[in-house]
């Protein structure tokens, strides 16, 4: 392993240790951000009609149980900045992929079975059509999965069902689909009206202060992330302002302070779930709905 790869590996491990309740993929913070690479650049949701390439027929469909082992390849400069099958602009530096039949876009987990590396990718294009190849990955994706130099690798491709459903709902503006994809539970809870002071909100003693606001006990929030560094939380908060009021709260766990980024409050869980779908569509895949 050369020094550059060693530094990247150590950096990823450190971010994993510093993020509270974070999954392996879709983290924001520091110098390495898969979120910035994976979020979409326009485009629409589509499944598409059956089509024929080089004498073979392909039948696109929504298959949220999809899992397949085969050969992955990658594509780069020749397609950079050209339109993908769903109308996005292909970026060889982003974490995207092409698949023959999955809905566009979908979220998949690709595991390189030759070295054990895994990566979450956004499927936004069609292909590949060479024999035995089941997915075509962006140049950056191939680099991170460790097969850019050799050109191909044996991989397992698995659709991330909930994330893909939420992405579909966000693109189509389907609130019902967003709610059912996120939770599948439409039970309403009575929200008491008495206001209470929130968890310790980042206030005047910090840069970029926000006023402390009381909210009704039992309110709902979209918690987008928790970080040990306030600067990372501030960065995420600014990016999520487009989805509603964002605030940063801090909690202490085993003597260590963590900064929670939340969008809200919302009076009803359904409102929070719709916003959750939008936040995940933006690329924050470990976001979740919480009640406080």
């Amino acid at each position: 392993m050369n020094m550059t790869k060693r530094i990247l590996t150590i950096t990823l491990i450190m971010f994993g240790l510093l993020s509270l309740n974070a999954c392996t993929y879709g983290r924001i913070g520091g110098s390495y951000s898969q979120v910035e690479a994976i979020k979409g650049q326009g485009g629409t949701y589509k499944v598409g009609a059956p089509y024929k390439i080089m004498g073979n027929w392909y039948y696109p469909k929504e298959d949220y149980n999809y899992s397949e082992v085969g050969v992955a390849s990658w594509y780069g400069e020749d397609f950079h900045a050209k339109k993908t099958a769903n109308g996005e602009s292909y970026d060889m530096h982003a974490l995207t992929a092409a698949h023959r039949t999955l809905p566009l876009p979908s979220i998949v987990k690709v595991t390189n079975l030759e070295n054990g590396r895994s990566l979450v990718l956004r499927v936004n294009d069609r292909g590949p059509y060479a024999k035995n190849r089941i997915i075509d990955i962006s140049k950056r994706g191939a680099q991170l999965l460790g097969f850019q130099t050799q050109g191909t690798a044996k991989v397992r491709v698995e659709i991330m069902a909930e994330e893909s459903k939420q992405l579909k709902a966000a693109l189509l503006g389907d609130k019902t689909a967003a709610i059912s994809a996120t939770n599948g539970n439409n039970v309403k809870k009575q929200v008491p009206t008495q206001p209470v002071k929130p968890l310790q909100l980042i206030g005047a003693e910090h840069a970029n202060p926000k006023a402390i606001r009381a909210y009704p006990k039992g309110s709902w929030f979209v918690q987008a992330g928790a970080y040990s560094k306030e600067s990372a939380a501030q960065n995420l908060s600014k990016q999520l302002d487009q989805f509603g009021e964002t605030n940063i709260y801090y909690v202490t766990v085993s003597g260590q302070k963590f900064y929670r980024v939340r969008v809200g409050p919302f009076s009803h869980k359904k409102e929070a779930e719709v916003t959750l779908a939008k936040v995940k569509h933006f690329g924050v895949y470990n976001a979740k709905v919480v009640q406080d």
Side-chain angles (χ1 to χ4, degrees):
M1 178 184 291
N2 61 35
M3 185 58 67
T4 301
K5 290 182 178 178
R6 187 180 301 276
I7 292 172
L8 176 60
T9 300
I10 293 173
T11 302
L12 290 172
I13 292 172
M14 288 302 295
F15 280 134
L17 294 175
L18 292 176
S19 297
L20 185 65
N21 295 327
C23 63
T24 305
Y25 312 99
R27 251 186 245 102
I28 290 181
S31 60
Y32 183 82
S33 175
Q34 290 193 24
V35 171
E36 287 304 311
I38 201 172
K39 67 181 182 180
Q41 303 176 34
T44 59
Y45 179 84
K46 64 180 293 185
V47 177
Y51 63 98
K52 187 177 183 180
I53 299 289
M54 295 186 293
N56 295 316
W57 279 95
Y58 299 93
Y59 301 88
K61 63 178 179 178
E62 292 182 340
D63 181 3
Y64 295 115
N65 295 310
Y66 173 82
S67 178
E68 186 177 8
V69 172
V71 176
S73 51
W74 66 272
Y75 63 129
E77 288 84 354
D78 291 344
F79 298 89
H80 186 68
K82 294 182 179 180
K83 291 295 184 182
T84 66
N86 76 326
E88 295 183 22
S89 177
Y90 173 65
D91 181 355
M92 65 182 180
H93 305 297
L95 299 183
T96 60
H99 192 275
R100 296 165 298 182
T101 59
L102 287 176
L104 306 176
S106 295
I107 304 299
V108 296
K109 177 182 177 182
V110 180
T111 301
N112 185 341
L113 299 178
E114 297 173 8
N115 61 18
R117 296 186 187 180
S118 293
L119 194 65
V120 170
L121 299 166
R122 175 188 175 95
V123 176
N124 65 353
D125 208 355
R126 288 288 179 229
Y129 302 106
K131 185 177 180 181
N132 296 329
R133 297 185 185 180
I134 61 173
I135 193 166
D136 226 356
I137 295 172
S138 66
K139 179 180 179 180
R140 182 57 176 156
Q143 290 172 341
L144 293 175
L145 284 170
F147 71 88
Q148 183 200 0
T149 301
Q150 68 194 58
T152 61
K154 185 176 182 181
V155 299
R156 176 183 291 109
V157 181
E158 304 166 277
I159 193 167
M160 299 180 70
E162 296 307 309
E163 289 80 358
S164 295
K165 292 176 183 178
Q166 291 162 16
L167 179 55
K168 173 188 175 182
L171 284 172
L172 296 180
D174 187 344
K175 295 183 178 181
T176 302
I179 292 164
S180 102
T182 304
N183 189 12
N185 184 357
N186 295 326
V187 177
K188 292 184 178 179
K189 294 185 179 181
Q190 186 66 33
V191 179
T193 58
Q194 67 271 23
V196 297
K197 187 175 180 180
L199 293 176
Q200 301 170 76
L201 179 66
I202 300 302
E205 72 276 17
H206 297 277
N208 303 316
K210 292 186 177 182
I212 294 179
R213 175 188 170 187
Y215 55 82
K217 183 178 180 181
S219 293
W220 296 93
F221 297 84
V222 173
Q223 183 161 306
Y227 302 89
S228 63
K229 292 185 178 181
E230 184 185 342
S231 59
Q234 291 283 5
N235 178 50
L236 177 58
S237 177
K238 290 176 183 177
Q239 294 184 61
L240 297 182
D241 277 342
Q242 60 185 297
F243 301 114
E245 180 182 347
T246 61
N247 286 300
I248 301 172
Y249 305 85
Y250 68 83
V251 293
T252 301
V253 179
S254 300
Q256 173 68 53
K257 185 179 290 186
F258 291 94
Y259 300 88
R260 290 176 174 171
V261 180
R262 289 182 172 183
V263 183
F266 301 97
S267 300
H268 301 287
K269 187 177 183 181
K270 287 184 179 180
E271 296 175 288
E273 288 173 331
V274 170
T275 300
L276 175 67
K278 295 177 181 178
V279 170
K280 287 195 172 186
H281 170 49
F282 181 74
V284 187
Y285 296 108
N286 55 323
K288 60 183 178 181
V289 170
V290 298
Q291 187 178 32
D292 194 7

